[in-house]
Amino acid sequence: MKIDEAHVRPDPDDPTRPKRGLTEDALATRATVYRPDLLAGQTVLITGGGSGMGKAAAFLAARLGANVAICGRREEKLVETSDAIRAATGASVLTCPMSIRDPAAVEALIARVHDQFGGLDTLVNNAGGQFPQDAIDFSRKGWLAVIDTNLNGTWWMMQEAAQRWRADGKPGNIINIVANVERGMPQAAHTCAARAGVIYLSKTVATEWAPFNIRVNCIGPGVIETEGFGVYPEEALRRFHQANPMKIRGDAWDVAEAIAYLASPAARFVNGELMIIDGGQAQWGVVWPGGMPDYFDEGGAA
């Protein structure tokens, strides 16, 4: 089945589409299981930190006492997030508009964080993007854009951070936000390929980099409701929660608290792992981000 591209790739800035995700007030006040100084003295860099899961992770890291740096392509989102965190916590957040696709920009970003804070403790690779479409209809440009951001961009960040930690003789911690790819991702084959690459890249370098005291782990979110839902058609969104046996949607705070755990001393012996946060989706159903094709519709199946 060929899906009309204009239909499945709506404009996320369309004012008629529902706004989703946690408000800044919620991010500032939502209860957390962690003590307020859990990350005191640490520096956390979060890519894609201006919205969604990255924004929630930045709020929580700042609330837990960390020095926070965020980067992304849209400066206005970064500034809005930085201002909101400062208002809520009093903490100043370093903002760096850039593209992780550009290795030179990545090198400059890592250097700036080290210069600003005297080092880096945890890198959270959250930046990424994709669009729903049947794989047979991918354009070459669309395929390369997703692979370049989600796989190559993540690698540039990982390698640059690790090389700096090795040169400085300091430990490091990398947390890669990926996806639950074990059963494939229909209508998202491009990001499935990229995220699977990141997962097994992470498992590999978790071993290679252990002599440098660098840990590398992944988090695979399932259906997490954020403003990123704006790229999906409404009929697909109505079924998303049916793809897990709990039949609910997660939110960005669920992922932020998992990131905080992996950034904390409690996770010192966790390395090379993939933490799945999906409400049991891996055992239950499949998300169809472009809308379930009629062929697969069994009258209520996810």
Side-chain angles (χ1 to χ4, degrees):
M1 181 185 84
K2 184 172 182 178
I3 298 174
D4 176 40
E5 185 169 319
H7 177 62
V8 302
R9 298 173 68 177
D11 179 4
D13 296 321
D14 181 349
T16 67
R17 290 180 61 77
K19 302 302 180 185
R20 291 179 163 85
L22 297 172
T23 66
E24 291 175 350
D25 285 343
L27 294 174
T29 60
R30 182 94 170 250
T32 177
V33 299
Y34 302 115
R35 69 174 191 263
D37 63 346
L38 180 69
L39 301 180
Q42 292 196 38
T43 296
V44 179
L45 167 60
I46 303 167
T47 68
S51 62
M53 294 180 290
K55 183 175 183 176
F59 259 88
L60 182 55
R63 287 175 54 183
L64 299 181
N67 302 314
V68 176
I70 57 176
C71 69
R73 289 179 298 173
R74 297 178 62 177
E75 184 174 13
E76 64 274 18
K77 282 191 172 184
L78 299 175
V79 172
E80 288 173 4
T81 296
S82 174
D83 289 346
I85 291 174
R86 183 183 297 109
T89 69
S92 295
V93 176
L94 176 64
T95 61
C96 303
M98 51 82 72
S99 171
I100 62 171
R101 295 187 192 183
D102 182 351
V106 169
E107 182 178 355
L109 169 66
I110 298 296
R112 185 177 175 191
V113 171
H114 278 264
D115 290 345
Q116 178 86 10
F117 298 115
L120 173 64
D121 297 286
T122 297
L123 166 64
V124 180
N125 282 311
N126 168 74
Q130 56 275 325
F131 52 88
Q133 190 176 32
D134 288 348
I136 200 168
D137 295 319
F138 286 159
S139 68
R140 292 174 181 173
K141 181 179 179 181
W143 170 268
L144 289 173
V146 173
I147 296 297
D148 201 20
T149 300
N150 295 359
L151 177 57
N152 295 337
T154 298
W155 170 241
W156 302 137
M157 293 294 302
M158 292 172 65
Q159 185 184 43
E160 187 63 32
Q163 288 181 344
R164 183 63 181 259
W165 285 322
R166 180 182 63 176
D168 293 346
K170 294 183 178 179
N173 183 21
I174 298 174
I175 304 167
N176 293 322
I177 308 303
V178 289
N180 188 347
V181 303
E182 183 178 358
R183 297 170 58 195
M185 298 176 67
Q187 298 175 336
H190 41 17
T191 199
C192 185
R195 304 301 193 181
V198 172
I199 291 167
Y200 284 94
L201 169 63
S202 299
K203 288 179 176 291
T204 300
V205 298
T207 299
E208 285 191 20
W209 297 349
F212 307 121
N213 202 12
I214 298 172
R215 293 187 299 114
V216 186
N217 292 288
C218 296
I219 294 174
V223 174
I224 303 296
E225 185 167 332
T226 71
E227 54 269 49
F229 269 24
V231 303
Y232 304 117
E234 292 302 320
E235 58 268 33
L237 293 175
R238 284 194 291 269
R239 301 184 80 119
F240 273 13
H241 69 284
Q242 296 177 342
N244 70 78
M246 297 179 72
K247 295 190 176 182
I248 62 174
R249 296 169 176 173
D251 62 35
W253 203 251
D254 296 315
V255 179
E257 293 218 295
I259 291 170
Y261 164 69
L262 288 176
S264 78
R268 68 179 188 87
F269 200 47
V270 181
N271 190 33
E273 288 301 320
L274 169 60
M275 181 187 297
I276 298 295
I277 304 174
D278 71 349
Q281 177 185 317
Q283 286 71 245
W284 180 264
V286 176
V287 170
W288 293 90
M292 180 181 286
D294 292 340
Y295 178 90
F296 294 100
D297 192 343
E298 299 292 339

